[in-house]
Amino acid sequence: MGTLAGKTALVTGGSRGIGRGIAERLGRDGALVAVHYGSNAAAAAEVVTTIERAGGRAFAIGAELGAPGDAAALWAAFDAGLAAAGGGTGLDILVNNAGIGAPGRIHEVAEADWDKVFAVNAKAPFFVVQQGLGRLRDGGRIVNVSSGVTRVAFPSAVSYAMTKGALNTLTLTLAEELGPRGITVNAVLPGVVATDINPWLDDPAARARVAGYAALGRVGEASDVADAVAFLASDDARWITGQNLDASGGSNLGV
């Protein structure tokens, strides 16, 4: 029996990268995992298969975040998928992981690009939580995947950094709002992580440079972040809420 046996979890953006690592870890811990994807159904199906082969339970749900009606579409897909999986109703763990990047200094950012990154990274989690509160059980967990760029100046991706700052504020506010229900709300702040969305890390020089940012001297892996999320989702973190947990290997501590 895993530490999350009997729990149901939803991981947005769970079909790849950090989200995949989180979904697989929660599955190993015994949760029934809803693996959300935006457009790549095959990738989500692969994650479901991986979880099932390890003895876990999972199902995939699709909904494009950042589009009108995205939260309602996500929850409709979740309800249908959960019923088909025989998981009953309700949710114990919500991981808001889905997000997109947005490079550019302030003079380089187009208004449409600013709107898009805020729609996916800040607006979508807000309304996913809002519309999911009736499903989230008392004593549940919300974990928001933010970023280490919120604790340092990061001019080269200013709009992206702003969205993650908004997510941190949402984390703090929801922790106060949902505390009476025993629901904890925390954020995890990764640094640079070696996933398929960072192919430039295949260059040894780039990888060495990024490793030098971290006090622990290496590039982060998806499992590093997934393990931190799993801790916050577990009963071991029952007395922790409203916190930003840095999971960057101590990146830029000397800056």
Side-chain angles (χ1 to χ4, degrees):
M1 295 292 286
T3 57
L4 299 179
K7 306 290 188 182
T8 299
L10 165 59
V11 182
T12 67
S15 65
R16 60 186 293 201
I18 292 173
R20 176 173 184 159
I22 294 168
E24 292 179 359
R25 170 60 198 267
L26 297 183
R28 289 196 301 273
D29 286 352
L32 169 61
V33 183
V35 180
H36 162 262
Y37 65 94
S39 59
N40 194 336
E46 182 180 338
V47 177
V48 169
T49 298
T50 299
I51 292 172
E52 291 176 340
R53 284 176 177 169
R57 299 172 64 211
F59 59 95
I61 61 171
E64 181 187 357
L65 299 184
D70 53 1
L74 181 147
W75 285 117
F78 172 82
D79 291 342
L82 184 61
T89 59
L91 180 71
D92 301 285
I93 301 159
L94 170 60
V95 182
N96 285 308
N97 164 78
I100 60 174
R105 295 176 177 269
I106 190 165
H107 59 282
E108 298 170 328
V109 177
E111 185 173 352
D113 294 333
W114 192 96
D115 287 342
K116 179 63 175 179
V117 72
F118 266 84
V120 176
N121 293 6
K123 182 180 179 181
F126 182 97
F127 286 101
V128 166
V129 171
Q130 182 198 71
Q131 297 182 30
L133 286 178
R135 297 168 175 84
L136 190 62
R137 298 185 181 95
D138 291 355
R141 302 282 188 268
I142 298 175
V143 183
N144 297 318
V145 178
S146 178
S147 173
V149 301
T150 60
R151 62 173 181 77
V152 297
F154 202 70
S156 62
V158 59
S159 55
Y160 170 81
M162 288 175 68
T163 66
K164 295 302 186 177
L167 197 59
N168 290 356
T169 298
L170 179 64
T171 298
L172 183 64
T173 304
L174 288 176
E176 176 74 10
E177 178 79 9
L178 301 179
R181 292 182 53 191
I183 297 170
T184 68
V185 188
N186 294 286
V188 173
L189 281 56
V192 179
V193 178
T195 69
D196 60 346
I197 64 172
N198 290 320
W200 52 273
L201 286 172
D202 292 339
D203 175 38
R207 192 177 187 93
R209 183 176 70 254
V210 170
Y213 298 155
L216 296 179
R218 65 172 175 83
V219 176
E221 302 290 340
S223 60
D224 297 320
V225 183
D227 290 349
V229 172
F231 164 67
L232 292 174
S234 75
D235 189 58
D236 288 343
R238 62 192 176 277
W239 201 235
I240 301 171
T241 195
Q243 301 304 303
N244 296 328
L245 176 60
D246 188 280
S248 70
S251 293
N252 297 308
L253 290 180
V255 175

